[in-house]
Amino acid sequence: MTASLLGSEICIRARREPLPPEQAAVERREQARQLEAARQAALPAPGPAPSASGGRAVPVAGTLSRDFGDSGAGGPARGLTYAAPAGARVVSPCQGSIAFAGPFRSYGKLVIVDCGGGVHFVLAGLDRLDAETGARVLPGEPVGQLGAAEENGRASLYVELRRNGTPADPKGWFRSRG
């Protein structure tokens, strides 16, 4: 049933007999849900996910600001840190399921993607989450958005690859085909 037919049906029914207030409210909510679904279906598809040369989707369009193994105040980096524009879209680097999505300590909002085979990606520093725990995702599918820029005018995304619970350099993952 299209939105215009649905609207006509409601108008015809309203002329025939008044609905109880509870049923009328339910029908209005259902009509609003259907109209929103039709609006979403009419939106253009998002552009292609950013990708590293020759490989899988990198989670954000930005520049590498801290490399795996670089020394820092907390010891060597166990992941990559990307500097990206404020509000940048963050995408899943693999097909899998969302093992965790929510606030985590001082990392902001965090997403853990279970890619299968003992491989997990941790994406930290998000301001908005677009995925929920348990959801299935495809490579390049949006999972969140970065927040406001930091002092350098860019926002940061921390990316950690874990193989069987051990941090590994994610750059090889992004270079390989999969």
Side-chain angles (χ1 to χ4, degrees):
M1 179 178 294
T2 66
S4 60
L5 288 178
L6 178 64
S8 298
E9 179 182 324
I10 289 172
C11 290
I12 292 169
R13 187 180 299 163
R15 282 185 243 148
R16 285 190 307 212
E17 58 190 66
L19 294 174
E22 299 84 20
Q23 187 177 358
V26 168
E27 285 194 14
R28 282 192 305 272
R29 281 194 301 272
E30 177 61 19
Q31 182 181 19
R33 186 195 63 74
Q34 289 177 352
L35 289 173
E36 178 61 18
R39 187 184 70 76
Q40 288 293 327
L43 291 176
S51 65
S53 58
R56 296 177 172 131
V58 295
V60 72
T63 57
L64 190 62
S65 61
R66 186 170 183 210
D67 204 348
F68 183 84
D70 282 355
S71 59
R78 295 165 46 154
L80 305 173
T81 302
Y82 286 92
R89 175 179 68 165
V90 177
V91 301
S92 175
C94 64
Q95 178 174 326
S97 62
I98 303 297
F100 177 83
F104 187 76
R105 298 183 185 167
S106 64
Y107 294 97
K109 292 180 178 141
L110 180 136
V111 172
I112 299 175
V113 184
D114 181 351
C115 304
V119 175
H120 292 82
F121 267 96
V122 178
L123 307 170
L126 294 109
D127 184 58
R128 185 184 85 202
L129 298 175
D130 294 330
E132 296 177 351
T133 300
R136 302 284 304 160
V137 292
L138 297 171
E141 185 174 339
V143 295
Q145 183 176 335
L146 294 180
E150 297 170 356
E151 67 275 354
N152 62 358
R154 315 240 321 150
S156 292
L157 177 72
Y158 175 74
V159 178
E160 185 174 301
L161 168 64
R162 294 186 149 264
R163 293 184 188 272
N164 299 316
T166 303
D169 189 346
K171 288 190 303 297
W173 174 274
F174 299 132
R175 279 193 289 271
S176 66
R177 293 257 176 222

PDB file of all heavy atoms in Angstrom, residues 85-121:
ATOM      1  N   PRO A  85      38.382  15.131   9.358  1.00  0.00           N
ATOM      2  CA  PRO A  85      37.519  16.299   9.566  1.00  0.00           C
ATOM      3  C   PRO A  85      36.462  16.025  10.640  1.00  0.00           C
ATOM      4  O   PRO A  85      35.997  14.892  10.791  1.00  0.00           O
ATOM      5  CB  PRO A  85      36.851  16.502   8.202  1.00  0.00           C
ATOM      6  CG  PRO A  85      37.721  15.779   7.226  1.00  0.00           C
ATOM      7  CD  PRO A  85      38.348  14.648   7.979  1.00  0.00           C
ATOM      8  N   ALA A  86      36.107  17.068  11.367  1.00  0.00           N
ATOM      9  CA  ALA A  86      35.047  16.941  12.363  1.00  0.00           C
ATOM     10  C   ALA A  86      33.782  16.427  11.685  1.00  0.00           C
ATOM     11  O   ALA A  86      33.461  16.826  10.565  1.00  0.00           O
ATOM     12  CB  ALA A  86      34.777  18.295  13.013  1.00  0.00           C
ATOM     13  N   GLY A  87      33.087  15.503  12.331  1.00  0.00           N
ATOM     14  CA  GLY A  87      31.849  14.955  11.791  1.00  0.00           C
ATOM     15  C   GLY A  87      32.044  13.903  10.717  1.00  0.00           C
ATOM     16  O   GLY A  87      31.072  13.482  10.092  1.00  0.00           O
ATOM     17  N   ALA A  88      33.294  13.466  10.481  1.00  0.00           N
ATOM     18  CA  ALA A  88      33.554  12.480   9.438  1.00  0.00           C
ATOM     19  C   ALA A  88      32.828  11.169   9.721  1.00  0.00           C
ATOM     20  O   ALA A  88      32.690  10.748  10.865  1.00  0.00           O
ATOM     21  CB  ALA A  88      35.052  12.223   9.307  1.00  0.00           C
ATOM     22  N   ARG A  89      32.378  10.527   8.652  1.00  0.00           N
ATOM     23  CA  ARG A  89      31.708   9.228   8.745  1.00  0.00           C
ATOM     24  C   ARG A  89      32.748   8.155   9.050  1.00  0.00           C
ATOM     25  O   ARG A  89      33.829   8.133   8.464  1.00  0.00           O
ATOM     26  CB  ARG A  89      31.003   8.940   7.427  1.00  0.00           C
ATOM     27  CG  ARG A  89      30.361   7.578   7.341  1.00  0.00           C
ATOM     28  CD  ARG A  89      29.667   7.374   6.031  1.00  0.00           C
ATOM     29  NE  ARG A  89      30.648   7.308   4.965  1.00  0.00           N
ATOM     30  CZ  ARG A  89      30.379   6.858   3.748  1.00  0.00           C
ATOM     31  NH1 ARG A  89      29.172   6.486   3.439  1.00  0.00           N
ATOM     32  NH2 ARG A  89      31.315   6.812   2.837  1.00  0.00           N
ATOM     33  N   VAL A  90      32.408   7.229   9.945  1.00  0.00           N
ATOM     34  CA  VAL A  90      33.268   6.102  10.289  1.00  0.00           C
ATOM     35  C   VAL A  90      32.560   4.839   9.814  1.00  0.00           C
ATOM     36  O   VAL A  90      31.372   4.652  10.081  1.00  0.00           O
ATOM     37  CB  VAL A  90      33.534   6.042  11.806  1.00  0.00           C
ATOM     38  CG1 VAL A  90      34.370   4.828  12.169  1.00  0.00           C
ATOM     39  CG2 VAL A  90      34.214   7.323  12.278  1.00  0.00           C
ATOM     40  N   VAL A  91      33.306   3.973   9.089  1.00  0.00           N
ATOM     41  CA  VAL A  91      32.704   2.779   8.502  1.00  0.00           C
ATOM     42  C   VAL A  91      33.372   1.518   9.043  1.00  0.00           C
ATOM     43  O   VAL A  91      34.499   1.549   9.529  1.00  0.00           O
ATOM     44  CB  VAL A  91      32.792   2.802   6.959  1.00  0.00           C
ATOM     45  CG1 VAL A  91      32.076   4.024   6.393  1.00  0.00           C
ATOM     46  CG2 VAL A  91      34.230   2.757   6.482  1.00  0.00           C
ATOM     47  N   SER A  92      32.656   0.415   8.926  1.00  0.00           N
ATOM     48  CA  SER A  92      33.197  -0.878   9.342  1.00  0.00           C
ATOM     49  C   SER A  92      34.294  -1.313   8.372  1.00  0.00           C
ATOM     50  O   SER A  92      34.106  -1.256   7.168  1.00  0.00           O
ATOM     51  CB  SER A  92      32.088  -1.931   9.360  1.00  0.00           C
ATOM     52  OG  SER A  92      32.637  -3.207   9.652  1.00  0.00           O
ATOM     53  N   PRO A  93      35.430  -1.783   8.899  1.00  0.00           N
ATOM     54  CA  PRO A  93      36.502  -2.253   8.023  1.00  0.00           C
ATOM     55  C   PRO A  93      36.295  -3.686   7.526  1.00  0.00           C
ATOM     56  O   PRO A  93      37.114  -4.192   6.769  1.00  0.00           O
ATOM     57  CB  PRO A  93      37.747  -2.150   8.898  1.00  0.00           C
ATOM     58  CG  PRO A  93      37.237  -2.251  10.287  1.00  0.00           C
ATOM     59  CD  PRO A  93      35.841  -1.700  10.282  1.00  0.00           C
ATOM     60  N   CYS A  94      35.211  -4.344   7.973  1.00  0.00           N
ATOM     61  CA  CYS A  94      35.004  -5.735   7.585  1.00  0.00           C
ATOM     62  C   CYS A  94      33.522  -6.088   7.665  1.00  0.00           C
ATOM     63  O   CYS A  94      32.729  -5.357   8.234  1.00  0.00           O
ATOM     64  CB  CYS A  94      35.793  -6.672   8.518  1.00  0.00           C
ATOM     65  SG  CYS A  94      35.209  -6.606  10.227  1.00  0.00           S
ATOM     66  N   GLN A  95      33.196  -7.244   7.106  1.00  0.00           N
ATOM     67  CA  GLN A  95      31.864  -7.814   7.303  1.00  0.00           C
ATOM     68  C   GLN A  95      31.881  -8.528   8.646  1.00  0.00           C
ATOM     69  O   GLN A  95      32.860  -9.190   8.986  1.00  0.00           O
ATOM     70  CB  GLN A  95      31.546  -8.806   6.202  1.00  0.00           C
ATOM     71  CG  GLN A  95      30.195  -9.477   6.370  1.00  0.00           C
ATOM     72  CD  GLN A  95      29.854 -10.335   5.176  1.00  0.00           C
ATOM     73  OE1 GLN A  95      30.206 -10.018   4.043  1.00  0.00           O
ATOM     74  NE2 GLN A  95      29.171 -11.443   5.428  1.00  0.00           N
ATOM     75  N   GLY A  96      30.846  -8.370   9.420  1.00  0.00           N
ATOM     76  CA  GLY A  96      30.801  -9.051  10.702  1.00  0.00           C
ATOM     77  C   GLY A  96      29.624  -8.599  11.522  1.00  0.00           C
ATOM     78  O   GLY A  96      28.594  -8.183  10.985  1.00  0.00           O
ATOM     79  N   SER A  97      29.788  -8.652  12.828  1.00  0.00           N
ATOM     80  CA  SER A  97      28.728  -8.222  13.730  1.00  0.00           C
ATOM     81  C   SER A  97      29.306  -7.272  14.770  1.00  0.00           C
ATOM     82  O   SER A  97      30.494  -7.331  15.093  1.00  0.00           O
ATOM     83  CB  SER A  97      28.068  -9.426  14.412  1.00  0.00           C
ATOM     84  OG  SER A  97      29.016 -10.111  15.202  1.00  0.00           O
ATOM     85  N   ILE A  98      28.446  -6.420  15.278  1.00  0.00           N
ATOM     86  CA  ILE A  98      28.864  -5.450  16.292  1.00  0.00           C
ATOM     87  C   ILE A  98      28.866  -6.164  17.642  1.00  0.00           C
ATOM     88  O   ILE A  98      27.817  -6.562  18.151  1.00  0.00           O
ATOM     89  CB  ILE A  98      27.921  -4.231  16.319  1.00  0.00           C
ATOM     90  CG1 ILE A  98      27.842  -3.568  14.946  1.00  0.00           C
ATOM     91  CG2 ILE A  98      28.362  -3.240  17.394  1.00  0.00           C
ATOM     92  CD1 ILE A  98      29.130  -2.996  14.426  1.00  0.00           C
ATOM     93  N   ALA A  99      30.062  -6.345  18.207  1.00  0.00           N
ATOM     94  CA  ALA A  99      30.203  -7.005  19.502  1.00  0.00           C
ATOM     95  C   ALA A  99      29.917  -6.041  20.644  1.00  0.00           C
ATOM     96  O   ALA A  99      29.473  -6.448  21.717  1.00  0.00           O
ATOM     97  CB  ALA A  99      31.609  -7.594  19.647  1.00  0.00           C
ATOM     98  N   PHE A 100      30.187  -4.745  20.420  1.00  0.00           N
ATOM     99  CA  PHE A 100      29.933  -3.721  21.434  1.00  0.00           C
ATOM    100  C   PHE A 100      29.762  -2.392  20.734  1.00  0.00           C
ATOM    101  O   PHE A 100      30.487  -2.079  19.787  1.00  0.00           O
ATOM    102  CB  PHE A 100      31.096  -3.624  22.431  1.00  0.00           C
ATOM    103  CG  PHE A 100      30.921  -2.534  23.451  1.00  0.00           C
ATOM    104  CD1 PHE A 100      30.162  -2.752  24.592  1.00  0.00           C
ATOM    105  CD2 PHE A 100      31.497  -1.290  23.263  1.00  0.00           C
ATOM    106  CE1 PHE A 100      29.980  -1.739  25.529  1.00  0.00           C
ATOM    107  CE2 PHE A 100      31.326  -0.274  24.196  1.00  0.00           C
ATOM    108  CZ  PHE A 100      30.568  -0.501  25.329  1.00  0.00           C
ATOM    109  N   ALA A 101      28.814  -1.587  21.210  1.00  0.00           N
ATOM    110  CA  ALA A 101      28.628  -0.216  20.730  1.00  0.00           C
ATOM    111  C   ALA A 101      28.103   0.602  21.887  1.00  0.00           C
ATOM    112  O   ALA A 101      27.021   0.349  22.394  1.00  0.00           O
ATOM    113  CB  ALA A 101      27.654  -0.175  19.558  1.00  0.00           C
ATOM    114  N   GLY A 102      28.912   1.562  22.342  1.00  0.00           N
ATOM    115  CA  GLY A 102      28.479   2.406  23.445  1.00  0.00           C
ATOM    116  C   GLY A 102      29.631   3.217  24.000  1.00  0.00           C
ATOM    117  O   GLY A 102      30.769   3.130  23.527  1.00  0.00           O
ATOM    118  N   PRO A 103      29.340   4.013  25.027  1.00  0.00           N
ATOM    119  CA  PRO A 103      30.406   4.786  25.662  1.00  0.00           C
ATOM    120  C   PRO A 103      31.362   3.853  26.402  1.00  0.00           C
ATOM    121  O   PRO A 103      30.946   2.826  26.938  1.00  0.00           O
ATOM    122  CB  PRO A 103      29.673   5.702  26.636  1.00  0.00           C
ATOM    123  CG  PRO A 103      28.256   5.270  26.656  1.00  0.00           C
ATOM    124  CD  PRO A 103      28.037   4.270  25.583  1.00  0.00           C
ATOM    125  N   PHE A 104      32.641   4.202  26.407  1.00  0.00           N
ATOM    126  CA  PHE A 104      33.625   3.383  27.095  1.00  0.00           C
ATOM    127  C   PHE A 104      34.712   4.270  27.674  1.00  0.00           C
ATOM    128  O   PHE A 104      35.471   4.900  26.932  1.00  0.00           O
ATOM    129  CB  PHE A 104      34.245   2.358  26.145  1.00  0.00           C
ATOM    130  CG  PHE A 104      35.146   1.367  26.842  1.00  0.00           C
ATOM    131  CD1 PHE A 104      34.617   0.339  27.590  1.00  0.00           C
ATOM    132  CD2 PHE A 104      36.513   1.490  26.754  1.00  0.00           C
ATOM    133  CE1 PHE A 104      35.438  -0.565  28.239  1.00  0.00           C
ATOM    134  CE2 PHE A 104      37.348   0.595  27.390  1.00  0.00           C
ATOM    135  CZ  PHE A 104      36.814  -0.432  28.135  1.00  0.00           C
ATOM    136  N   ARG A 105      34.761   4.319  28.992  1.00  0.00           N
ATOM    137  CA  ARG A 105      35.763   5.084  29.751  1.00  0.00           C
ATOM    138  C   ARG A 105      35.989   6.452  29.129  1.00  0.00           C
ATOM    139  O   ARG A 105      35.058   7.178  28.867  1.00  0.00           O
ATOM    140  CB  ARG A 105      37.041   4.275  29.887  1.00  0.00           C
ATOM    141  CG  ARG A 105      36.816   2.991  30.659  1.00  0.00           C
ATOM    142  CD  ARG A 105      38.079   2.232  30.862  1.00  0.00           C
ATOM    143  NE  ARG A 105      37.781   0.956  31.505  1.00  0.00           N
ATOM    144  CZ  ARG A 105      38.639  -0.016  31.587  1.00  0.00           C
ATOM    145  NH1 ARG A 105      39.855   0.113  31.106  1.00  0.00           N
ATOM    146  NH2 ARG A 105      38.291  -1.130  32.181  1.00  0.00           N
ATOM    147  N   SER A 106      37.241   6.810  28.895  1.00  0.00           N
ATOM    148  CA  SER A 106      37.545   8.135  28.341  1.00  0.00           C
ATOM    149  C   SER A 106      37.694   8.106  26.826  1.00  0.00           C
ATOM    150  O   SER A 106      38.129   9.080  26.219  1.00  0.00           O
ATOM    151  CB  SER A 106      38.843   8.661  28.964  1.00  0.00           C
ATOM    152  OG  SER A 106      39.933   7.828  28.597  1.00  0.00           O
ATOM    153  N   TYR A 107      37.312   7.003  26.181  1.00  0.00           N
ATOM    154  CA  TYR A 107      37.485   6.864  24.741  1.00  0.00           C
ATOM    155  C   TYR A 107      36.335   7.452  23.935  1.00  0.00           C
ATOM    156  O   TYR A 107      36.335   7.374  22.723  1.00  0.00           O
ATOM    157  CB  TYR A 107      37.641   5.379  24.364  1.00  0.00           C
ATOM    158  CG  TYR A 107      38.894   4.763  24.901  1.00  0.00           C
ATOM    159  CD1 TYR A 107      38.876   4.030  26.085  1.00  0.00           C
ATOM    160  CD2 TYR A 107      40.101   4.910  24.236  1.00  0.00           C
ATOM    161  CE1 TYR A 107      40.026   3.452  26.583  1.00  0.00           C
ATOM    162  CE2 TYR A 107      41.262   4.345  24.733  1.00  0.00           C
ATOM    163  CZ  TYR A 107      41.216   3.617  25.912  1.00  0.00           C
ATOM    164  OH  TYR A 107      42.357   3.068  26.407  1.00  0.00           O
ATOM    165  N   GLY A 108      35.345   7.997  24.584  1.00  0.00           N
ATOM    166  CA  GLY A 108      34.148   8.448  23.872  1.00  0.00           C
ATOM    167  C   GLY A 108      33.296   7.231  23.562  1.00  0.00           C
ATOM    168  O   GLY A 108      33.318   6.233  24.286  1.00  0.00           O
ATOM    169  N   LYS A 109      32.573   7.315  22.479  1.00  0.00           N
ATOM    170  CA  LYS A 109      31.772   6.163  22.070  1.00  0.00           C
ATOM    171  C   LYS A 109      32.670   5.235  21.267  1.00  0.00           C
ATOM    172  O   LYS A 109      33.497   5.681  20.478  1.00  0.00           O
ATOM    173  CB  LYS A 109      30.556   6.621  21.280  1.00  0.00           C
ATOM    174  CG  LYS A 109      29.597   7.382  22.189  1.00  0.00           C
ATOM    175  CD  LYS A 109      28.379   7.861  21.491  1.00  0.00           C
ATOM    176  CE  LYS A 109      27.496   8.558  22.509  1.00  0.00           C
ATOM    177  NZ  LYS A 109      26.850   9.728  21.980  1.00  0.00           N
ATOM    178  N   LEU A 110      32.475   3.956  21.481  1.00  0.00           N
ATOM    179  CA  LEU A 110      33.373   2.944  20.935  1.00  0.00           C
ATOM    180  C   LEU A 110      32.558   1.850  20.269  1.00  0.00           C
ATOM    181  O   LEU A 110      31.475   1.507  20.748  1.00  0.00           O
ATOM    182  CB  LEU A 110      34.192   2.381  22.102  1.00  0.00           C
ATOM    183  CG  LEU A 110      35.207   1.306  21.834  1.00  0.00           C
ATOM    184  CD1 LEU A 110      36.479   1.644  22.608  1.00  0.00           C
ATOM    185  CD2 LEU A 110      34.714  -0.033  22.325  1.00  0.00           C
ATOM    186  N   VAL A 111      33.079   1.321  19.177  1.00  0.00           N
ATOM    187  CA  VAL A 111      32.459   0.200  18.476  1.00  0.00           C
ATOM    188  C   VAL A 111      33.500  -0.904  18.351  1.00  0.00           C
ATOM    189  O   VAL A 111      34.650  -0.633  17.996  1.00  0.00           O
ATOM    190  CB  VAL A 111      31.970   0.613  17.064  1.00  0.00           C
ATOM    191  CG1 VAL A 111      31.507  -0.589  16.263  1.00  0.00           C
ATOM    192  CG2 VAL A 111      30.859   1.635  17.155  1.00  0.00           C
ATOM    193  N   ILE A 112      33.092  -2.134  18.649  1.00  0.00           N
ATOM    194  CA  ILE A 112      33.947  -3.298  18.402  1.00  0.00           C
ATOM    195  C   ILE A 112      33.238  -4.147  17.362  1.00  0.00           C
ATOM    196  O   ILE A 112      32.104  -4.576  17.560  1.00  0.00           O
ATOM    197  CB  ILE A 112      34.206  -4.114  19.680  1.00  0.00           C
ATOM    198  CG1 ILE A 112      34.912  -3.257  20.729  1.00  0.00           C
ATOM    199  CG2 ILE A 112      35.041  -5.362  19.353  1.00  0.00           C
ATOM    200  CD1 ILE A 112      35.101  -3.938  22.080  1.00  0.00           C
ATOM    201  N   VAL A 113      33.925  -4.361  16.227  1.00  0.00           N
ATOM    202  CA  VAL A 113      33.377  -5.163  15.134  1.00  0.00           C
ATOM    203  C   VAL A 113      34.048  -6.530  15.171  1.00  0.00           C
ATOM    204  O   VAL A 113      35.273  -6.622  15.121  1.00  0.00           O
ATOM    205  CB  VAL A 113      33.611  -4.505  13.759  1.00  0.00           C
ATOM    206  CG1 VAL A 113      32.951  -5.322  12.655  1.00  0.00           C
ATOM    207  CG2 VAL A 113      33.111  -3.074  13.742  1.00  0.00           C
ATOM    208  N   ASP A 114      33.248  -7.593  15.292  1.00  0.00           N
ATOM    209  CA  ASP A 114      33.738  -8.966  15.244  1.00  0.00           C
ATOM    210  C   ASP A 114      33.714  -9.398  13.785  1.00  0.00           C
ATOM    211  O   ASP A 114      32.664  -9.602  13.195  1.00  0.00           O
ATOM    212  CB  ASP A 114      32.845  -9.865  16.097  1.00  0.00           C
ATOM    213  CG  ASP A 114      33.300 -11.312  16.122  1.00  0.00           C
ATOM    214  OD1 ASP A 114      34.208 -11.692  15.343  1.00  0.00           O
ATOM    215  OD2 ASP A 114      32.731 -12.080  16.926  1.00  0.00           O
ATOM    216  N   CYS A 115      34.909  -9.525  13.191  1.00  0.00           N
ATOM    217  CA  CYS A 115      35.037  -9.872  11.773  1.00  0.00           C
ATOM    218  C   CYS A 115      35.030 -11.380  11.554  1.00  0.00           C
ATOM    219  O   CYS A 115      35.067 -11.844  10.414  1.00  0.00           O
ATOM    220  CB  CYS A 115      36.337  -9.292  11.208  1.00  0.00           C
ATOM    221  SG  CYS A 115      36.490  -7.516  11.425  1.00  0.00           S
ATOM    222  N   GLY A 116      35.019 -12.165  12.634  1.00  0.00           N
ATOM    223  CA  GLY A 116      35.069 -13.617  12.533  1.00  0.00           C
ATOM    224  C   GLY A 116      36.504 -14.118  12.553  1.00  0.00           C
ATOM    225  O   GLY A 116      37.458 -13.349  12.357  1.00  0.00           O
ATOM    226  N   GLY A 117      36.687 -15.374  12.837  1.00  0.00           N
ATOM    227  CA  GLY A 117      38.016 -15.976  12.831  1.00  0.00           C
ATOM    228  C   GLY A 117      38.955 -15.407  13.874  1.00  0.00           C
ATOM    229  O   GLY A 117      40.165 -15.405  13.670  1.00  0.00           O
ATOM    230  N   GLY A 118      38.422 -14.892  14.967  1.00  0.00           N
ATOM    231  CA  GLY A 118      39.261 -14.328  16.018  1.00  0.00           C
ATOM    232  C   GLY A 118      39.742 -12.916  15.743  1.00  0.00           C
ATOM    233  O   GLY A 118      40.577 -12.381  16.466  1.00  0.00           O
ATOM    234  N   VAL A 119      39.199 -12.265  14.691  1.00  0.00           N
ATOM    235  CA  VAL A 119      39.609 -10.907  14.330  1.00  0.00           C
ATOM    236  C   VAL A 119      38.544  -9.915  14.795  1.00  0.00           C
ATOM    237  O   VAL A 119      37.359 -10.084  14.499  1.00  0.00           O
ATOM    238  CB  VAL A 119      39.807 -10.776  12.801  1.00  0.00           C
ATOM    239  CG1 VAL A 119      40.116  -9.340  12.400  1.00  0.00           C
ATOM    240  CG2 VAL A 119      40.904 -11.713  12.331  1.00  0.00           C
ATOM    241  N   HIS A 120      38.984  -8.892  15.532  1.00  0.00           N
ATOM    242  CA  HIS A 120      38.101  -7.822  16.012  1.00  0.00           C
ATOM    243  C   HIS A 120      38.747  -6.477  15.705  1.00  0.00           C
ATOM    244  O   HIS A 120      39.969  -6.340  15.790  1.00  0.00           O
ATOM    245  CB  HIS A 120      37.884  -7.910  17.524  1.00  0.00           C
ATOM    246  CG  HIS A 120      37.111  -9.095  17.952  1.00  0.00           C
ATOM    247  ND1 HIS A 120      37.678 -10.335  18.113  1.00  0.00           N
ATOM    248  CD2 HIS A 120      35.800  -9.241  18.254  1.00  0.00           C
ATOM    249  CE1 HIS A 120      36.751 -11.201  18.503  1.00  0.00           C
ATOM    250  NE2 HIS A 120      35.602 -10.556  18.583  1.00  0.00           N
ATOM    251  N   PHE A 121      37.911  -5.488  15.361  1.00  0.00           N
ATOM    252  CA  PHE A 121      38.378  -4.115  15.221  1.00  0.00           C
ATOM    253  C   PHE A 121      37.744  -3.276  16.304  1.00  0.00           C
ATOM    254  O   PHE A 121      36.538  -3.352  16.532  1.00  0.00           O
ATOM    255  CB  PHE A 121      37.996  -3.530  13.853  1.00  0.00           C
ATOM    256  CG  PHE A 121      39.051  -3.704  12.818  1.00  0.00           C
ATOM    257  CD1 PHE A 121      38.991  -4.770  11.936  1.00  0.00           C
ATOM    258  CD2 PHE A 121      40.118  -2.815  12.722  1.00  0.00           C
ATOM    259  CE1 PHE A 121      39.972  -4.944  10.973  1.00  0.00           C
ATOM    260  CE2 PHE A 121      41.098  -2.986  11.768  1.00  0.00           C
ATOM    261  CZ  PHE A 121      41.039  -4.049  10.893  1.00  0.00           C
TER     262      PHE A 121
END
